[in-house]
């Protein structure tokens, strides 16, 4: 499906509106909202703004598109960032937050995460209502970095991925899980990414983010600065 590329005037408000709208639609259609959070800096003010919205948090299921293999109290942890900006500020039941265990063996953590998704999805394959993604300066998204094995994964939903560029293990959603979502939204709000974006939208790039292609869902790029 052709991506919906939006140039935001007020990036944080528009991103927050998009998430809130998706939540209300999911509550109405299926009773719960499955939202995957991204890491990095871009989503921080969005998560803070989302914490102020009057959502029924008891019906929100939070997952993480990727995690750095560090303990949850490490400054590099995406879970810690989400707690500080959003999760500690809203009345979400702890069992609704599916944390990737960055502190244990990465392959075990990835397998456990995939099993947890299956458990939360008695109706069949786990399908997110909304997956938020970022785009790194090398075109990576989630922890799908250029040249890494996770890019080739076609059946598992969550895998461990050693990222030589970062000299660290990561746990990441794979394309099959991302592409199964009802809606995938890239949030890009930092200067200096225009050249990559141009290539991505040209349709000829092989950046990992350019390969995201929801099978039966929407794809939005919300662009700020
Ligand atoms: C991570 C991410 C990663 C991130 C991009 C964009 O854990 O590092 O999930 O994919 O979204 O690198 O990061 P910025 O928002 O900081 O530019």
């Amino acid at each position: 499906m052709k991506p919906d590329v939006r140039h935001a005037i007020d990036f944080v408000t528009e991103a927050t509106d998009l998430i809130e709208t998706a939540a209300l639609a999911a509550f109405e259609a299926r009773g719960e909202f499955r939202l995957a959070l991204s890491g990095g800096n871009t989503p921080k003010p969005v998560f803070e703004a989302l914490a102020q919205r009057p959502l029924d948090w008891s019906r929100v299921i939070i997952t993480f598109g990727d995690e750095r293999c560090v303990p949850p109290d490490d400054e590099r942890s995406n879970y810690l960032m989400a707690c500080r900006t959003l999760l500690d500020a809203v009345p979400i039941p702890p069992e609704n937050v599916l944390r990737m265990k960055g502190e244990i063996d990465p392959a075990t953590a990835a397998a456990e995460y995939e099993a947890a998704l299956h458990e939360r999805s008695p109706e069949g394959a786990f399908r997110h209502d909304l997956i938020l993604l970022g785009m790194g300066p090398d075109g990576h998204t989630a922890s799908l970095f250029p040249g890494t094995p996770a890019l080739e994964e076609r059946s598992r939903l969550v895998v461990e991925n050693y990222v030589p560029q970062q000299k660290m293990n990561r746990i990441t959603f794979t394309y099959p899980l991302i592409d199964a979502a009802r809606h995938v939204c890239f949030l890009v709000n930092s200067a200096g990414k225009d050249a990559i974006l141009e290539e991505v939208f040209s349709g000829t790039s092989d950046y990992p983010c350019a390969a995201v292609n929801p099978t039966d869902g929407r794809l939005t790029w919300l662009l700020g600065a």
Side-chain angles (χ1 to χ4, degrees):
M1 181 181 283
K2 208 172 162 320
D4 174 16
V5 182
R6 300 187 200 166
H7 294 269
I9 295 167
D10 178 343
F11 182 82
V12 171
T13 304
E14 289 174 47
T16 313
D17 286 349
L18 184 146
I19 299 167
E20 187 178 14
T21 303
L24 298 178
F27 290 158
E28 172 96 18
R30 289 169 297 281
E32 69 175 23
F33 176 49
R34 297 172 177 175
L35 170 66
L37 304 182
S38 48
N41 290 314
T42 308
K44 291 179 184 173
V46 177
F47 294 170
E48 284 165 352
L50 186 63
Q52 304 306 316
R53 301 286 173 107
L55 282 184
D56 179 354
W57 288 96
S58 70
R59 295 200 283 158
V60 179
I61 308 296
I62 295 289
T63 68
F64 292 82
D66 71 322
E67 184 56 279
R68 294 94 182 265
C69 289
V70 294
D73 58 356
D74 187 291
E75 287 299 322
R76 292 165 292 176
S77 161
N78 284 338
Y79 172 74
L80 181 64
M81 183 278 272
C83 287
R84 283 181 174 157
T85 54
L86 172 65
L87 301 176
D88 288 349
V90 297
I92 187 163
E95 65 273 18
N96 287 16
V97 179
L98 305 186
R99 177 175 82 80
M100 289 175 164
K101 291 187 191 152
E103 70 277 26
I104 66 172
D105 167 63
T108 308
E112 277 186 11
Y113 206 79
E114 184 161 333
L117 293 180
H118 286 307
E119 247 171 62
R120 292 301 300 224
S121 181
E123 76 279 11
F126 190 97
R127 201 169 175 208
H128 285 88
D129 295 295
L130 179 62
I131 296 183
L132 301 175
L133 293 175
M135 183 187 78
D138 55 359
H140 80 261
T141 191
S143 281
L144 298 167
F145 282 75
T148 58
L151 299 179
E152 309 309 324
E153 183 58 46
R154 293 293 173 266
S155 54
R156 289 172 61 197
L157 306 183
V158 182
V159 295
E160 70 283 10
N161 198 26
Y162 180 70
V163 181
Q165 297 92 319
Q166 307 279 331
K167 294 194 177 55
M168 83 185 303
N169 281 305
R170 302 274 190 118
I171 302 161
T172 186
F173 281 9
T174 60
Y175 291 121
L177 180 58
I178 295 172
D179 288 342
R182 291 192 159 81
H183 191 176
V184 176
C185 181
F186 281 90
L187 301 177
V188 182
N189 191 26
S190 30
K193 291 182 177 171
D194 288 1
I196 298 193
L197 287 171
E198 213 169 287
E199 272 194 62
V200 169
F201 299 139
S202 74
T204 55
S205 92
D206 54 9
Y207 288 123
C209 62
V212 169
N213 185 18
T215 314
D216 183 23
R218 294 161 58 199
L219 176 59
T220 302
W221 284 79
L222 187 66
L223 310 179

